[in-house]
Amino acid sequence: MLALLMFAAVCCAAPAGNAISAYVALETGAREAGGIAEGGSAADIPPRMLTAYKKAAQQVGKYVPKCRGMSWPVLAGIAKVESNHAIGRNIADNGDIRPKIYGVLLNGSGAGGNTTTVPDTDGGRWDGTATGERAVGPFQFLPSTWQSIGKDAGGDGTADPHNADDAALGAAIYLCGNGRDLSKSSQLKSAIWQYNHSNAYVAGVLGWIDQYTAAATGPNLKNLSGKARTVIEAALSQRGVPYSWGGGNAKGRSHGICCSPGGKSGASIKGFDCSGLTQYAYAKVGISLPRLAADQASVGQRIPAGLGPGALKAGDLVFYATAPGHDATIYHVGIYLSGGQMINAARPGTVIRLDAVNTISGYAGGARLL
């Protein structure tokens, strides 16, 4: 508990003289690596893969006419978990992915979590081995599954699970089933469960879908006016600006400092960290905020975490903590927009973007300053 109370916000640089315990350094380093989502926007997806997802979402109606609600974020959520969008591979203009992506050999050895032997069905045509079966391609289909849902999306005469277009269309067909409505939460969950019978898997994919949906949906400012609109427009004007550890203040973007608990320096990056961005946006309406996220929670009317994100209004600050209920452990802050979205300076290596509120762990409520 003592270590937690010493916690300084992971997204926001603490004063240089502050000490940080080894425990907190480990916790914040881990959070930097994954607690705050690394992805979340179309910019995190290789352009050729994103093209494949969008194309498949448009084509799937030809094969499953009754399917509703298919969108590229759904396919991106699956591909993120299955292969990280084939990042690190070469994706040719025609969609072919090289080197090919193979899963572990399903021989019951326990490697990769497999405990059941799956006999070969394709003679090694797709999975490169006739001694057993393994998942293939960016969507990790078993060859036996691919035989029933694989389609030629690229027009080259071959339905190839190692081709981005073909694989994305196959995934869309598989998720649509006999005609699901994926805009309905229960049916979307059923589709993902069919892909992998794991509650943790379903939750993980849904989290990525939420992020990509937030990125794909433009902000709605129609009903905003006054100071809330001014704050949000100021924050939105910085979309695409790089994250900089310790960067940004009431006057605007600035070079940051060295170094985050994960060793990332903002010294050469002109931009914002999370609390630098909120300082800048609120300064536009004459509100001066403290530098750290944990200190910003003491300003304005506190919105308890127990009320849920549904209690937030446009322009509210959104907080995240290692121990929700203990504001000293707050490590991140964003600006709530609407529809479950916030404007977010997430972590080193990202840019200011829209994210879903539920994509970051440790929701700790909000603060209303307007």
Side-chain angles (χ1 to χ4, degrees):
M1 180 59 71
L2 176 60
L4 289 175
L5 292 177
M6 291 172 63
F7 187 82
V10 67
C11 80
C12 317
N18 278 14
I20 186 166
S21 71
Y23 173 82
V24 173
L26 288 171
E27 285 292 299
T28 54
R31 217 171 263 287
E32 229 176 84
I36 297 177
E38 297 178 19
S41 73
D44 299 307
I45 304 172
R48 187 60 185 82
M49 294 301 294
L50 181 59
T51 295
Y53 306 155
K54 291 181 176 180
K55 182 178 178 181
Q58 295 171 347
Q59 289 182 324
V60 71
K62 174 182 176 181
Y63 301 95
V64 191
K66 294 182 179 180
C67 185
R68 298 291 182 270
M70 176 55 69
S71 64
W72 74 257
V74 171
L75 297 172
I78 295 286
K80 172 65 180 179
V81 174
E82 294 292 345
S83 70
N84 195 25
H85 307 301
I87 289 173
R89 259 72 174 184
N90 178 64
I91 308 168
D93 289 343
N94 70 351
D96 286 344
I97 298 170
R98 299 293 184 273
K100 296 178 179 180
I101 302 172
Y102 296 117
V104 298
L105 186 64
L106 301 177
N107 57 6
S109 67
N114 87 92
T115 57
T116 303
T117 300
V118 180
D120 177 70
T121 63
D122 68 334
R125 180 186 182 190
W126 299 123
D127 64 4
T129 177
T131 62
E133 202 89 324
R134 55 182 178 178
V136 297
F139 284 88
Q140 289 290 279
F141 287 111
L142 288 178
S144 56
T145 303
W146 183 251
Q147 289 175 14
S148 63
I149 54 91
K151 303 295 179 183
D152 173 24
D156 63 359
T158 300
D160 184 353
H162 298 286
N163 176 276
D165 295 326
D166 296 356
L169 179 58
I173 292 170
Y174 188 70
L175 291 166
C176 281
N178 293 324
R180 291 189 175 99
D181 184 349
L182 300 177
S183 66
K184 296 180 178 179
S185 177
S186 61
Q187 294 191 40
L188 177 59
K189 288 180 180 179
S190 294
I192 300 170
W193 175 265
Q194 176 183 317
Y195 215 99
N196 189 322
H197 294 181
S198 161
N199 288 326
Y201 180 88
V202 173
V205 170
L206 286 173
W208 286 110
I209 292 173
D210 284 346
Q211 288 191 69
Y212 294 127
T213 299
T217 305
N220 182 2
L221 305 182
K222 290 182 179 179
N223 298 321
L224 285 182
S225 61
K227 291 184 176 181
R229 187 183 187 101
T230 300
V231 166
I232 286 175
E233 287 183 340
L236 287 174
S237 72
Q238 303 304 310
R239 286 178 75 182
V241 171
Y243 179 100
S244 175
W245 176 263
N249 52 48
K251 295 180 180 180
R253 68 188 78 172
S254 69
H255 287 92
I257 62 174
C258 185
C259 280
S260 74
K264 305 295 185 180
S265 175
S268 63
I269 303 172
K270 192 172 184 179
F272 293 93
D273 64 12
C274 67
S275 57
L277 178 63
T278 55
Q279 279 189 315
Y280 170 74
Y282 275 90
K284 295 297 182 182
V285 293
I287 295 176
S288 177
L289 292 177
R291 184 62 182 85
L292 296 182
D295 296 331
Q296 291 180 2
S298 65
V299 181
Q301 175 191 347
R302 199 72 168 86
I303 303 169
L307 296 179
L312 297 171
K313 294 183 178 180
D316 289 346
L317 294 177
V318 188
F319 299 108
Y320 300 85
T322 56
H326 298 277
D327 283 356
T329 72
I330 286 174
Y331 66 85
H332 190 71
V333 61
I335 299 175
Y336 187 71
L337 180 56
S338 64
Q341 296 181 3
M342 65 178 172
I343 308 163
N344 194 23
R347 64 188 294 277
T350 65
V351 298
I352 295 172
R353 66 198 189 197
L354 298 187
D355 276 330
V357 170
N358 64 2
T359 59
I360 299 179
S361 61
Y363 175 70
R368 185 160 299 150
L369 285 67
L370 304 173

